[in-house]
Amino acid sequence: MKSKTPINDSFRAIADPTRRAVLDLLSEGEWKVNDLVGRFRMTQPAMSQHLRVLKQAGLVNSRRAGRERLYRIRPDQLKPIADWVGQYERFWKRKLRGLGEFLEKEK
Amino acid sequence: MSFDVVLEQTYPYPPERVWRALTDSDALGQWLMPNDFEARVGHKFQFRSKPMPGWRGFVECEVIEVVAPLRLAYTWLGDADWQEPTIVRWTLEPIEGGTRLRLEHSNLQEPWGRELQAMLSQGWKKMIAEKIVRVMEQFESVAGG
């Protein structure tokens, strides 16, 4: 059982909240590894590990530009999963907004 | 395999106010869903909404932690075929000028457990084409409450 299936990798990739947040950012465009490191306030090796998992899962691509490595998502691979996992996230975001409105109104 | 949803939101009101909105049944009904909640460990209650195709229309819950006005947790069983309940956990932190509210919805693994098994055995493309749409529809109706 040394090799993992790509499908297994996809699920491992999106099971982690940090990696989902990285995917969210990459959905806006290409990001340099160093900028991601700054944004998430984690070490470069930790971020590289997350990116490696995402790449192995086929969810992101990378390219070299000079000394930098740039990452971007592969939307074709990602969309169905993102929609699927995001359902509850969207549900609760809506409800938390509703809570804010309720508190405001109750004042 | 399970997923967690973790969200944080700050509100310009003291924790006691936010706590009341989370634990008063009428208040809770106004921003979340109608319910028969009581802030008592072991109390079983339901959130009720309109039944829809793919969703029975209510969530079964049991209170598992009450520490006023800081921590509240209950189980959350969205549908009868979920293999185990998920956990909804609220944490209130007093901050300058208000409250930081943290929501964790953990152990989210159904209703897609069987779908995942099917995916692993049948392959990704087929899964997306045929089954994910159905799972997403289920979620939309659960989330639609």
Side-chain angles (χ1 to χ4, degrees), chain A residues 40-107:
Chain A
F40 285 88
R41 285 177 292 178
M42 58 172 57
T43 64
Q44 212 247 330
M47 179 51 71
S48 293
Q49 174 61 24
H50 281 311
L51 290 167
R52 197 173 308 125
V53 172
L54 289 170
K55 194 171 178 181
Q56 276 169 3
L59 299 176
V60 304
N61 272 338
S62 69
R63 68 181 179 91
R64 227 171 230 304
R67 296 181 55 181
E68 292 281 2
R69 190 166 276 284
L70 291 129
Y71 280 83
R72 66 176 169 198
I73 60 162
R74 298 175 59 186
D76 53 321
Q77 298 284 316
L78 186 65
K79 178 117 188 7
I81 311 172
D83 285 351
W84 178 47
V85 172
Q87 293 291 347
Y88 258 99
E89 231 154 60
R90 282 197 291 278
F91 168 75
W92 283 117
K93 275 183 183 161
R94 202 166 66 233
K95 293 301 183 186
L96 289 177
R97 269 201 310 277
L99 170 58
E101 285 157 16
F102 170 80
L103 288 166
E104 173 67 28
K105 187 180 64 172
E106 195 202 21
K107 192 157 64 176

Side-chain angles (χ1 to χ4, degrees), chain A residues 11 20 84 88 91-92 96, chain B residues 4 11 105 119 135 139 142-143:
Chain A
F11 277 88
R20 293 210 297 276
W84 178 47
Y88 258 99
F91 168 75
W92 283 117
L96 289 177
Chain B
D4 298 349
Y11 298 102
H105 195 167
M119 176 183 286
V135 177
F139 254 90
V142 172

Side-chain angles (χ1 to χ4, degrees), chain B residues 4 64 106 138:
Chain B
D4 298 349
I64 54 177
S106 56
Q138 275 180 355

